[in-house]
Amino acid sequence: MPSWINIARWLHILSAAAWLGEICLMAFVLIPQVTKMPAEGRGQFMTHFFPRISRLASHLIAVTMLSGLWLNYLMTGWRNMHVYLTSRHGLLVLAGGALGLLIALVHFGVLGQFETRFASGDQQAKTLRLMQIVPKVGLLVVSLAFILMMVAARGY
Ligand code: HEM
């Protein structure tokens, strides 16, 4: 039977990797393709597919963050929390976790707005310009969180 700390770590790494993968798909496949679609098809496509994409992202973000907190608890028992501000390992996990939290807040903050904006044709062009930037910035931030966590766990 694998230890709980390994189960938490595997869950954390797999969900973080799936989240990163979904952002790559958005940034490099879905949005570039949607941009090439005719306007009337675009609204239909986005209002049909986008809710599912963001629902998957919500689940992956929730599992990444909760399994990270669980892993953190199994490793530290949430005692001596000052080590997070005084050790390199602690600072790296804190920085990676904070970046993840930032993207999670943006995700849950704008959730739903993109669908409604796409459905209402008049805001579609502006929303599409935003969609060409937001996933790419998200990709940079989540990749950085990933790297900080890996350096925390294994050094560089
Ligand atoms: C609430 C936010 C988070 C917390 C509390 C958290 C906590 C942790 C902890 C305690 C570890 C183990 C470090 C070690 O083995 O020494 C870890 C590893 C890891 N975390 Fe996070 N994490 C969070 C968010 C994230 C995010 C947003 C990502 C990436 C999208 C991420 C990716 C990883 C990866 C890839 C590892 C494994 C590194 C390895 O074993 O090579 N974590 N995390």
Side-chain angles (χ1 to χ4, degrees):
M1 171 69 184
S3 66
W4 285 116
I5 208 164
N6 279 337
I7 292 171
R9 184 187 297 284
W10 298 336
L11 197 60
H12 188 54
I13 297 173
L14 287 172
S15 55
W19 180 18
L20 194 60
E22 193 196 13
I23 302 175
C24 287
L25 189 75
M26 279 287 287
F28 299 121
V29 180
L30 268 174
I31 299 301
Q33 285 310 313
V34 166
T35 316
K36 292 188 197 121
M37 288 170 80
E40 67 279 357
R42 202 184 289 155
Q44 233 179 0
F45 177 86
M46 286 309 282
T47 41
H48 184 74
F49 277 100
F50 201 71
R52 297 170 189 226
I53 297 164
S54 44
R55 207 167 30 244
L56 174 62
S58 303
H59 292 142
L60 293 173
I61 292 171
V63 176
T64 302
M65 306 309 259
L66 292 173
S67 60
L69 290 169
W70 183 30
L71 181 55
N72 178 260
Y73 174 72
L74 293 173
M75 291 174 78
T76 66
W78 285 338
R79 282 187 294 277
N80 314 328
M81 297 307 272
H82 64 276
V83 291
Y84 278 87
L85 299 170
T86 53
S87 71
R88 187 186 70 130
H89 174 271
L91 284 168
L92 287 165
V93 170
L94 204 60
L99 287 177
L101 206 58
L102 175 72
I103 291 292
L105 291 175
V106 171
H107 170 79
F108 289 110
V110 303
L111 195 60
Q113 285 185 30
F114 282 133
E115 288 106 84
T116 36
R117 288 166 71 125
F118 257 106
S120 63
D122 61 335
Q123 296 193 35
Q124 212 181 86
K126 197 164 155 236
T127 311
L128 199 58
R129 275 197 300 283
L130 259 180
M131 291 300 287
Q132 284 160 334
I133 300 162
V134 173
K136 288 196 176 110
V137 174
L139 184 60
L140 274 180
V141 176
V142 174
S143 305
L144 183 56
F146 215 106
I147 293 164
L148 289 172
M149 289 279 168
M150 290 193 287
V151 174
R154 299 167 196 284
Y156 54 82

